[in-house]
Amino acid sequence: MLLYIFSSQGYVIFGDSTSTLYNGQYNYPAPYGNWYTRSRHQILILSSEIQSKGISTGSKIYSLGFFVVQTNNIALKPCTLKIKEVNYNQIGNSFDNNGLTTIVGYSSCPPLTNNNWTEYTFPTPWTYNGQNLLIDFFYGSPINYDYTYNASTTYTIYNDTLCGYNYADAGAIPNDSIYRTNKRPNIRILTDIQSSNEEKNNSNFRIKLLRNQLIISFDKKLNYLLEIYTPNGNVVNEKKSFDNEYKINLKRGVYILKLEFENQRIYKTFVIY
């Protein structure tokens, strides 16, 4: 039997994941900006960054979020996430309003929590076409002068201007002007990542396919939640904790592996021929 992992889902962070830089409750860029009534941000992720993370043309993007350090007791307001792919490498002097695809929209943004990632799941996954990715995020109240504070989210400083924003207390946010900055909010996406028959995901565990056997080995004993199920949702195996290595024999077919541990969630899709 030939075994081959044809798809691997995992979280990828764009920006310094250890960054201690974040905006204050009155400062921008701030994706959750409500010090002025409404705010809009456009954030550019370069194709070179995307591809360096193992994301190839045709990969799917399933969710996107920002890391909130402090909510600052921000009031929950409507928010909208839009995406498009572009060929320019820096944010221009005005918002790019052409060809944006609305991914998700909420009449009230899902609750924010301190020191945690937000996550907006795409009802329809975005198929990556190989260009730079432009993320357009709106947050704010439709009621004029309905303001509170900005939530604090982490950011990374770059040499180029990869973020632009504007805000307003009354009326629409101006589309003909934008504040450009080299401070780009850190972003996490859930996406397809290139993989192979044997993969070391991080310092904690390895996944290997050998003949008709799936082998998961761990550097240390922890509490895990492991599920293996078929694409139609039938659970083949479930285990909540085990020692440094776990093996399971599988029949021919397509399987999805879900592994949760230490606030991480990993998905792997594989096929046994």
Side-chain angles (χ1 to χ4, degrees), residues 15-52:
D16 182 359
S17 60
T18 64
S19 175
T20 57
L21 301 174
Y22 56 88
N23 64 281
Q25 61 185 355
Y26 309 117
N27 304 121
Y28 295 83
Y32 303 102
N34 193 224
W35 174 237
Y36 287 83
T37 304
R38 51 194 69 100
S39 64
R40 180 184 178 189
H41 290 68
Q42 287 197 333
I43 300 165
L44 189 63
I45 303 178
L46 302 180
S47 60
S48 56
E49 298 178 75
I50 296 172
Q51 293 164 12
S52 71

Side-chain angles (χ1 to χ4, degrees), residues 39-252:
S39 64
R40 180 184 178 189
H41 290 68
Q42 287 197 333
I43 300 165
L44 189 63
I45 303 178
L46 302 180
S47 60
S48 56
E49 298 178 75
I50 296 172
Q51 293 164 12
S52 71
K53 300 286 188 178
I55 303 169
S56 59
T57 299
S59 295
K60 304 289 187 182
I61 298 176
Y62 302 95
S63 71
L64 182 149
F66 306 96
F67 190 82
V68 177
V69 179
Q70 296 175 358
T71 67
N72 297 324
N73 297 315
I74 186 173
L76 295 178
K77 304 294 175 64
C79 62
T80 304
L81 171 66
K82 300 179 181 181
I83 285 180
K84 68 179 289 190
E85 293 187 36
V86 299
N87 56 17
Y88 50 80
N89 296 321
Q90 295 194 60
I91 295 293
N93 295 318
S94 60
F95 283 111
D96 184 344
N97 299 305
N98 298 318
L100 290 163
T101 298
T102 300
I103 304 297
V104 291
Y106 298 93
S107 58
S108 180
C109 197
L112 311 180
T113 55
N114 291 339
N115 295 312
N116 205 0
W117 287 98
T118 59
E119 184 168 24
Y120 304 110
T121 301
F122 297 4
T124 301
W126 179 270
T127 301
Y128 177 60
N129 293 313
Q131 294 182 281
N132 301 330
L133 194 64
L134 183 71
I135 297 160
D136 185 289
F137 192 73
F138 171 87
Y139 184 91
S141 173
I143 303 172
N144 291 338
Y145 303 104
D146 180 22
Y147 56 86
T148 54
Y149 300 100
N150 296 339
S152 298
T153 55
T154 58
Y155 64 81
T156 300
I157 298 176
Y158 295 86
N159 293 327
D160 298 320
T161 53
L162 300 179
C163 178
Y165 62 89
N166 209 330
Y167 43 75
D169 259 335
I173 294 174
N175 286 328
D176 57 352
S177 62
I178 194 169
Y179 297 105
R180 303 165 70 234
T181 178
N182 62 350
K183 298 176 181 179
R184 190 181 72 184
N186 292 342
I187 289 175
R188 186 183 73 168
I189 66 172
L190 178 64
T191 184
D192 294 329
I193 305 172
Q194 294 175 349
S195 58
S196 61
N197 275 25
E198 181 173 5
E199 182 174 355
K200 187 176 188 302
N201 294 78
N202 51 39
S203 60
N204 293 318
F205 73 97
R206 293 176 175 84
I207 297 174
K208 184 176 181 179
L209 290 166
L210 181 63
R211 299 182 66 83
N212 66 331
Q213 191 173 67
L214 174 68
I215 304 171
I216 306 174
S217 57
F218 301 85
D219 292 343
K220 58 183 177 180
K221 184 176 180 179
L222 292 171
N223 291 323
Y224 299 86
L225 172 62
L226 168 71
E227 291 180 353
I228 300 174
Y229 53 93
T230 61
N232 61 8
N234 294 329
V235 177
V236 177
N237 188 273
E238 181 177 0
K239 198 168 182 64
K240 293 187 177 180
S241 65
F242 35 86
D243 294 325
N244 295 72
E245 187 173 79
Y246 177 69
K247 299 178 180 180
I248 180 173
N249 294 322
L250 298 168
K251 298 178 181 179
R252 292 185 180 185

Side-chain angles (χ1 to χ4, degrees), residues 2-6 209 252-255 269-273:
L2 172 66
L3 295 94
Y4 176 64
I5 296 177
F6 62 85
L209 290 166
R252 292 185 180 185
V254 179
Y255 299 93
T269 305
F270 59 94
V271 61
I272 297 178
Y273 295 103

